[in-house]
Amino acid sequence: MRVIPQGVRTDPSRYSLRRALGVGQDAKLLLLPSGLRPVKDPLFAIDCAK
């Protein structure tokens, strides 16, 4: 039996998602880690972030 924790511990790194995507520091960046299934309506979060 193994216990799988609900969270994940990470260590800071030098990787920059903004730099990799070419997004400026002043731009809004919304990371939505989910499937884009219409039933869950994940695009609702985009309307709320505008």
Side-chain angles (χ1 to χ4, degrees):
M1 178 184 288
R2 291 186 179 170
V3 176
I4 301 174
Q6 293 294 317
V8 177
R9 182 176 175 206
T10 61
D11 296 321
S13 71
R14 294 182 184 184
Y15 178 77
S16 171
L17 182 60
R18 287 183 176 275
R19 194 174 351 171
L21 295 175
V23 177
Q25 291 295 327
D26 57 337
K28 292 181 182 179
L29 183 63
L30 177 65
L31 182 61
L32 185 62
S34 69
L36 293 178
R37 296 184 336 177
V39 175
K40 299 289 184 178
D41 194 18
L43 300 179
F44 176 77
I46 294 175
D47 290 334
C48 294
K50 288 182 182 178

